[in-house]
Amino acid sequence: MSLTPGLHHFLVVSALLFSLGLLGVLARRNLLVIYMGLELMLNAANLALVAFSRFNANLNGQVMVFFIITVAAAEVAVGLALIVALYRKRQSAHVEDLTSLKL
Amino acid sequence: MPALTDLLFYGFAGLALLFGFLCVANPLSRNPVTSAMFLVLTICSLAGLFVLLNAFFLAAVQVLVYAGAVMVLFLFVIMLLDLKEEERRKLNKVALGAGTVAVAVIAGILIRAVTSAKPAADKLVEGTTKPLGRILFTEYLLPFEILSLLLLVAMVGVILLSKKELK
């Protein structure tokens, strides 16, 4: 591996960022921070797509990232509305308090 | 002597990973507002990486939509919920340990797979507004229109969910 950043380097950064987002989803117990971990994972996938697009001289990857950003914005709006509705009903945004489906 | 763009890559990549770590597992503060602020910084560093990849339009969209609109929404909800008492809860040690091990293994596998791959041919493509807009409004016109419908559906859904009583 050379030191000049190529596709490899960007993919390593993307993989590490994805792992960090996964760690946030697994370890944190606050619904909002779990959502931020999800956003981090989406951003890592975006970085990988842009890197592939750049090193294959193909713009389709960047159009895909554009679509992902839009869908993520819609997803965040709906998800946060759900969290607010949940908080109104249960007075908590903590996953350990939401156990009514547990056996 | 490394070129300036190489140094910029390592700078932005290091900052993105550092801020990403501080966003999900900040050892000093478990306040959601701190996490949100570090997520903004991570997204801005990623926009820098997009510029280094010649994706200028996406870098602008990243800052405008993610660091602007989405994170304002996050902060708005955090302030609406008033999560002060959440900070006092202690961390689940077993979940944190298992999560760290799983993530380390996944990261190791990914890095190994990526570093053993063959290098890609270095061709140049510029993601400026003009070529991206052309491909978006010719080849991807139908998905683009469907996307506007998706945003409308999300908007209606959010308004319905935020009403005081669901009928």
Side-chain angles (χ1 to χ4, degrees), chain B residues 50-70:
Chain B
F50 283 2
V51 170
L52 289 179
L53 285 168
N54 289 330
F56 306 116
F57 177 71
L58 282 178
V61 167
Q62 177 93 348
V63 172
L64 283 177
V65 175
Y66 256 119
V70 170

Side-chain angles (χ1 to χ4, degrees), chain A residues 12-26:
Chain A
V12 166
V13 174
S14 162
L16 285 175
L17 214 54
F18 188 89
S19 309
L20 280 175
L22 191 61
L23 176 67
V25 172
L26 287 176

Side-chain angles (χ1 to χ4, degrees), chain A residues 1-13 15-30 32-33 35-37 39-40 42-44 46-47 50-51 53-85 87-88 91-94 96-97, chain B residues 6 9-10 13 16-17 20-21 23-26 30 32 35-36 39 42-43 46 49-50 52-55 57-58 61-62 65-66 70 73-74 77-78 80-83 86 89 92 95-96 99-100 102-103 106-107 110-111 114-115 117-127 131-132 135-136 139-140 143-144 147 150-151 154 158 161-164:
Chain A
M1 253 177 116
S2 70
L3 273 177
T4 313
L7 182 59
H8 291 168
H9 298 71
F10 284 97
L11 289 183
V12 166
V13 174
L16 285 175
L17 214 54
F18 188 89
S19 309
L20 280 175
L22 191 61
L23 176 67
V25 172
L26 287 176
R28 299 298 291 261
R29 287 289 167 264
N30 189 326
L32 284 162
V33 183
Y35 241 75
M36 288 177 207
E39 291 303 307
L40 216 52
L42 275 171
N43 270 300
N46 281 351
L47 180 63
V50 174
S53 150
R54 157 75 173 75
F55 288 102
N56 287 311
N58 190 340
L59 270 183
N60 291 333
Q62 297 196 13
V63 176
M64 189 75 195
V65 171
F66 180 79
F67 286 150
I68 290 175
I69 288 178
T70 320
V71 173
E75 172 244 331
V76 164
V78 175
L80 289 178
L82 281 172
I83 291 176
V84 171
Y87 188 81
R88 276 214 198 109
Q91 298 302 313
S92 169
H94 220 260
E96 275 155 3
D97 296 338
Chain B
D6 297 6
F9 166 77
Y10 286 110
L17 291 175
F21 178 76
C23 168
V24 296
N26 196 332
R30 308 238 326 274
S35 289
L39 189 56
T42 313
I43 284 165
L46 278 176
L49 285 180
F50 283 2
L52 289 179
L53 285 168
N54 289 330
F57 177 71
L58 282 178
V61 167
Q62 177 93 348
V65 175
Y66 256 119
V70 170
L73 204 61
F74 260 109
V77 169
I78 289 170
L80 205 66
L81 295 191
D82 186 27
L83 297 167
E86 305 281 348
R89 298 194 190 227
N92 188 345
L96 192 64
T100 311
V103 163
I106 291 172
L110 284 173
I111 289 171
V114 155
T115 46
K118 289 213 165 61
D122 193 6
K123 299 173 215 154
L124 203 68
V125 62
E126 290 245 323
L132 211 59
I135 195 172
L136 199 59
E139 203 177 328
Y140 289 96
F144 185 77
L147 210 57
L150 173 81
L151 285 176
V158 167
L161 279 172
S162 331
K163 280 173 82 170
K164 261 278 179 275

